[in-house]
Amino acid sequence: MKILSLKSLNINSLKGKTEIDFDELTKESALFAITGPTGSGKSSILDIISCALYGRTVRLKNPNDLMSRHTGETYCEVEFEIKGRLYRSSWTQKRARKKHDGAFQTAKMELTDLQENKILALKSREVPKKIEELSGLDFGRFTQSMLLAQGGFDAFLKADEKERSILLEKITGTQIYAEISMAVFEKHRGFVQEIEQTQKVLQSIELLTDEVLQDKEKLLAYNIAQKRKTDKELKELTLSLNWVQRVSQLIGECKRYEEEFQDSTRLKKEHKNSFIQLDLANKALNVSAVFTSYTQLQKSIGRDEISSTNFAQELKTLDKEIKSKDMEYSVLKKEFEKEDAEFEVQNQKLKEVREIQTKENQDTQRIKKESSLLKTKEKNLQKLTKALALLVDKYAEIQIQIDTQNSYILQNAIDEKLLSIIGAVEQNIKLYKEEEKLLILNQKELDELSIRIDENATSNTQVVLEKSIVEIKKHIETLRDKKTKEQLLKKYEEDRASLLEGEECYLCGSKEHPYALLHVEVNIDETQSLIVSQSKELEKQEKALNSFNVAHEKYNTLHEQLTITLKARKERVDGLLKSLEQHYKEFGEDLHVESLDTQYDMLLKRKNLYLKALDTLKALELKFNLYKLDKKESETKIVSIKEEISALLKSLKELELSVAEFSCSRIKRLNVADIDSYEKEITTKYKMAQKRVQLCKTVLDESKVKSKERLSNKKSLDIKIAQGEQTLHLLKNELDELYEKNGFKDAQELEDATLTTPQREKLATLCKGIEDKLKQSQTLKIKSEKELKEHQLKPLSDRSLQELENLQSLLEQKADALQESIGSDKKELELNQENSDKYKERIESLQKQKESFKVWVKLNELVGSADGAKFKKFAQGITLEQLINLANQHLNILSSRYTLIRNQDKLLELEVIDAFQGDVIRSVGTLSGGESFIVSLSLALGLSELASQKIAIDSLFLDEGFGTLDEESLETALNALNLLQSGGKMIGVISHVEALKERIPLQIKVIPNGDGTSFVE
């Protein structure tokens, strides 16, 4: 992936438009520097690149904060190349109505394929994902592969093992291995809990003994046989009872249906006239449709004849009106044609005059504006001349102050290094004090823990608890055996109470029961209470034993961890003192531990004085440059204003001549006082003539249309009348035939017989109800008499109904009692079977759990831990090994002296092999500034390859990291960068170090404007 160019608008201090063409810039040399004062906006160039590609930046949580102050819109755009294909990605943000105080709108992103010149159909949130898909780099890998913060890898190189673990986790994302380690530990613990739960469930399942089970099954078989016998007797009795009940029911039905038949016959005779009236009404219904059509048609023909006569009269009147209006329209049309020709001529003259007047007014306005502008320019010229004189005096004064500050900085040049290392000195002092306190505290904790472990080892608590647990388990087993026997005894007591002297026992068959009245005392609840009490005590003792073992193991683990921590802390304290001693020597001071703060204050004071001098110099230089720019700008403005005044005077003379010419031309073309009034007058006259013609034409057209409509309506009515008379004749013949067929002499008899629809429906309902009731009662009477005779031919019992019902009730009670006993026994046996099946399933499940648990036991031994440290450190070691191999490939190119290796004893400790000293192994802490830079750069490049396995990285941006290098180290660093760019990579170095600016001729300068904004050169 290679960055080709970028564009931006209003990004931080880079206000306005900014464009950088890296492809064009690096044709001669691929190494360039991005330079400028601190705070000028150098790092904003990297923000533009990352925001255009991913919609986010490393430095800012909210990309909206990139927008320059007092602006309403911003954008970032980057063109880049992947595998020979060109793309353009952009990010745009606007405020409401593009006002500087408007609310932020939703940011938009676009991705364009420049090969096809086509914007890809993606939503804004999909653009970063598409770029990740094309490049193989998500935002994290991109910032680690292309935007390298070199100072971060210097910290990684010199960190201790614990700090390096944290940095490695942030850089390479090895937190996932800690999560896996914790997940394995949790999974293992979950399996242990599942197995313990299954074992508890197994202990809670209760099963019947074989003897009790056999007794239950025999009793169930006996009750089932008795139930079948009772059910058979009950069924036979029910059939007899049903026969007797049916005979009684049929006799009652015969009597009732005979009475209903007699009532229905009498009712029909009483309503004889209603049946006759209904018959006449139905015949009238056959004739009424034709009769109605005949009368309606007669009326319709009469109405149409009247309308036809009216239309004839109206047509005569309309013919007269049309002839009159036609003559009037011809006269008005000729008058309008003359008026129209005259209007066109006058309108053309008005148009020409208006064009001349517009030009005349424009020149008049320009004369006023330029006259006003001329006065303003003359005033400005006077002000600028006075201001220039003041600037020349201040310019000379500031030059003297700059020389004074430069002299101080040269005399105290050694204090410059304090700017970069004073923070490290302060941090080391702080760390030394903290580590010293913690060292004393850890030693005290270790001594106390040793005493506690010794006390625990001599205690006999564990033996006492183990012995108590064995005794409680034996006691619980004894109580459970006792409960089983008591349950059997209780069951036998209940069965013994149900025995009757002289009847057989359902178990042994004996008719004599000498022990029927013998009572045995049984108390199951008390036994169960003792079992529960002992189980709780057992659980309590087991928890106490488990807590004792966990505490003992915890003490031993803590002792081991504290011993390791104490050793590491002593090493860190010694290392911090060595580092401080080296720093103080650089500034001609010897280290005194008892006066660390006093010595630090002295160095801090020297650093502040030097920094103040630098700040004062920068402020003076900035002020000097501003005065210089203001002076040059004022001189330029004075020359410019003089030229503008001369041009304005010339322009005014030309405009005055032009206005006079336009005025003469206008009067010559049309000499009227008020053009608008004249135009209104001729337009009104024209429109009135036009309106008269249109009105006459409208009235004429309406009369012609109305005449056509009336003529058409009259013809339609005449045809309709002729057709109606033919239909009327046919209906008369049909009506006469229907009168004869239905027994009516004339229309009067038809009207007498006709009923309204509600009357006819009411009468029909009455007659039908009487007829239906008669037929129904007759049918039911015959059917019930026949069924009674057939039922009496097959008698099933000679007993009375009451006797049969009493006998049925007794048998049902007996059957219910047997069914209840059977249900109870079946339920108990089914419950026992379910418990037995459940017990087998639990046993099988427990075996499967233990089998699958073997894998997690092994995994937990290998990688599982509660804090995730076990697997995380192992994975970090492998990742660090891979990173070292990749870094050494670059280190071999940059320097043949050093090779990075891992310490054999400490998993994450880094060392170097020095080829110039007989391959001696050295700590990375012994490397000089330039050597550290080369090794750190190799690590950064190694991570760049580690983060992007899919695609080549052809552009690198190094942000700072050069401020602490001496002259020799800086030379080494530059040689390393030149080697990189000769390998085909584009290298951009961001720095404010003056020596670096001098040695890299190709530069992108970020220059402050003096008002908090900058521009790129």
Side-chain angles (χ1 to χ4, degrees), residues 328-345 682-697:
E328 185 183 349
Y329 175 68
S330 298
V331 173
L332 289 172
K333 188 176 180 183
K334 288 178 183 178
E335 291 176 357
F336 176 71
E337 286 172 356
K338 291 179 183 178
E339 185 68 34
D340 184 54
E342 178 63 23
F343 179 75
E344 282 296 325
V345 171
I682 63 172
T683 302
T684 303
K685 185 178 177 184
Y686 172 77
K687 286 183 177 178
M688 286 178 67
Q690 187 181 43
K691 188 174 181 181
R692 285 196 298 272
V693 174
Q694 288 175 346
L695 185 62
C696 185
K697 183 70 167 64

Side-chain angles (χ1 to χ4, degrees), residues 569-795:
R569 205 172 296 285
K570 285 178 180 176
E571 291 175 357
R572 281 200 292 276
V573 168
D574 293 339
L576 288 167
L577 285 174
K578 286 180 182 178
S579 178
L580 286 169
E581 188 176 2
Q582 185 178 352
H583 284 315
Y584 280 115
K585 279 182 180 178
E586 291 179 16
F587 300 100
E589 299 288 338
D590 293 328
L591 178 67
H592 299 290
V593 177
E594 63 279 1
S595 59
L596 277 176
D597 293 336
T598 306
Q599 287 184 305
Y600 170 73
D601 290 340
M602 179 270 295
L603 288 179
L604 184 62
K605 186 176 180 181
R606 284 173 61 179
K607 171 250 180 183
N608 288 337
L609 288 171
Y610 188 82
L611 186 61
K612 185 178 179 181
L614 284 176
D615 291 341
T616 304
L617 180 62
K618 283 180 183 178
L620 288 169
E621 286 177 344
L622 181 61
K623 205 171 182 181
F624 179 77
N625 289 332
L626 288 173
Y627 279 128
K628 188 177 180 181
L629 286 171
D630 288 347
K631 177 175 169 289
K632 188 175 180 181
E633 187 179 353
S634 296
E635 290 170 348
T636 305
K637 282 181 179 179
I638 288 170
V639 173
S640 176
I641 288 173
K642 286 179 178 179
E643 291 174 354
E644 288 172 1
I645 289 170
S646 177
L648 282 170
L649 290 169
K650 185 179 178 182
S651 176
L652 280 170
K653 288 180 182 179
E654 292 173 353
L655 287 171
E656 286 170 356
L657 288 172
S658 177
V659 168
E661 289 175 2
F662 283 134
S663 179
C664 292
S665 177
R666 175 172 54 79
I667 294 168
K668 185 178 179 182
R669 188 68 180 153
L670 186 65
N671 190 9
V672 293
D674 189 347
I675 294 174
D676 292 334
S677 298
Y678 180 71
E679 182 180 18
K680 187 176 180 183
E681 180 185 339
I682 63 172
T683 302
T684 303
K685 185 178 177 184
Y686 172 77
K687 286 183 177 178
M688 286 178 67
Q690 187 181 43
K691 188 174 181 181
R692 285 196 298 272
V693 174
Q694 288 175 346
L695 185 62
C696 185
K697 183 70 167 64
T698 302
V699 173
L700 178 62
D701 291 342
E702 286 176 355
S703 297
K704 288 179 179 179
V705 170
K706 194 172 182 182
S707 177
K708 286 180 182 178
E709 287 177 355
R710 296 296 180 270
L711 182 61
S712 175
N713 290 340
K714 186 177 182 306
K715 286 179 180 179
S716 298
L717 280 174
D718 292 342
I719 294 167
K720 185 180 177 184
I721 289 166
Q723 290 174 347
E725 288 175 347
Q726 290 177 0
T727 305
L728 190 65
H729 179 70
L730 293 172
L731 285 172
K732 181 68 172 68
N733 293 335
E734 186 181 356
L735 190 61
D736 291 341
E737 289 176 6
L738 286 171
Y739 279 162
E740 186 179 349
K741 185 177 179 180
N742 288 282
F744 295 114
K745 292 179 182 180
D746 51 25
Q748 187 60 45
E749 284 190 5
L750 175 66
E751 289 178 6
D752 292 341
T754 300
L755 295 175
T756 63
T757 301
Q759 290 172 338
R760 188 176 64 257
E761 288 177 352
K762 184 177 179 182
L763 191 61
T765 302
L766 175 65
C767 293
K768 188 176 183 300
I770 294 169
E771 194 67 39
D772 290 347
K773 192 172 182 181
L774 179 64
K775 288 179 181 178
Q776 184 184 7
S777 60
Q778 187 179 17
T779 303
L780 291 172
K781 173 177 170 293
I782 295 167
K783 183 182 176 184
S784 60
E785 289 172 351
K786 182 181 177 183
E787 192 174 347
L788 179 59
K789 288 177 183 177
E790 290 174 352
H791 200 67
Q792 288 175 336
L793 292 173
K794 299 175 183 178

Side-chain angles (χ1 to χ4, degrees), residues 245-259:
Q245 288 174 339
R246 184 58 180 160
V247 168
S248 176
Q249 182 182 359
L250 286 171
I251 291 170
E253 287 178 359
C254 287
K255 184 178 179 182
R256 188 173 72 254
Y257 292 145
E258 177 64 32
E259 291 173 355

Side-chain angles (χ1 to χ4, degrees), residues 876-1015:
Q876 285 177 346
I878 294 173
T879 306
L880 183 61
E881 191 70 47
Q882 189 178 4
L883 179 59
I884 288 170
N885 290 336
L886 292 169
N888 280 331
Q889 293 174 20
H890 294 284
L891 189 56
N892 187 40
I893 297 170
L894 300 175
S895 171
S896 59
R897 178 172 180 176
Y898 296 111
T899 303
L900 275 167
I901 60 169
R902 257 203 310 163
N903 188 298
Q904 298 301 314
D905 298 326
K906 296 180 180 179
L907 194 63
L908 301 180
E909 191 71 33
L910 286 175
E911 296 177 324
V912 291
I913 298 173
D914 191 342
F916 288 9
Q917 295 185 12
D919 289 339
V920 67
I921 296 174
R922 293 168 53 189
S923 167
V924 292
T926 63
L927 296 174
S928 67
E931 292 166 339
S932 294
F933 175 84
I934 292 173
V935 175
S936 298
L937 181 60
S938 300
L939 278 169
L941 295 171
L943 180 73
S944 177
E945 290 188 16
L946 191 66
S948 57
Q949 299 290 343
K950 292 184 180 179
I951 197 162
I953 301 299
D954 296 320
S955 298
L956 291 176
F957 294 87
L958 298 176
D959 192 356
E960 291 299 347
F962 304 92
T964 60
L965 302 182
D966 56 27
E967 188 72 22
E968 184 181 350
S969 301
L970 187 61
E971 187 67 37
T972 305
L974 285 171
N975 291 336
L977 293 175
N978 280 311
L979 281 172
L980 273 178
Q981 64 106 6
S982 65
K985 292 186 184 292
M986 181 183 82
I987 311 294
V989 179
I990 298 178
S991 182
H992 62 274
V993 177
E994 289 299 325
L996 193 69
K997 297 178 188 177
E998 294 171 4
R999 301 187 188 200
I1000 301 178
L1002 185 61
Q1003 295 180 22
I1004 297 172
K1005 294 184 178 179
V1006 183
I1007 303 171
N1009 288 319
D1011 58 355
T1013 64
S1014 304
F1015 66 94

Side-chain angles (χ1 to χ4, degrees), residues 525-580:
D525 293 338
E526 184 180 341
T527 305
Q528 178 62 31
S529 178
L530 285 171
I531 291 171
V532 171
S533 174
Q534 288 298 310
S535 297
K536 288 180 179 178
E537 182 62 27
L538 176 63
E539 187 177 354
K540 182 179 177 183
Q541 295 288 347
E542 286 176 340
K543 283 183 179 178
L545 178 61
N546 187 43
S547 298
F548 178 84
N549 291 333
V550 169
H552 189 68
E553 185 180 348
K554 184 179 177 182
Y555 291 153
N556 288 329
T557 305
L558 282 172
H559 187 276
E560 184 180 348
Q561 289 176 348
L562 276 172
T563 304
I564 295 168
T565 303
L566 196 64
K567 183 180 178 183
R569 205 172 296 285
K570 285 178 180 176
E571 291 175 357
R572 281 200 292 276
V573 168
D574 293 339
L576 288 167
L577 285 174
K578 286 180 182 178
S579 178
L580 286 169

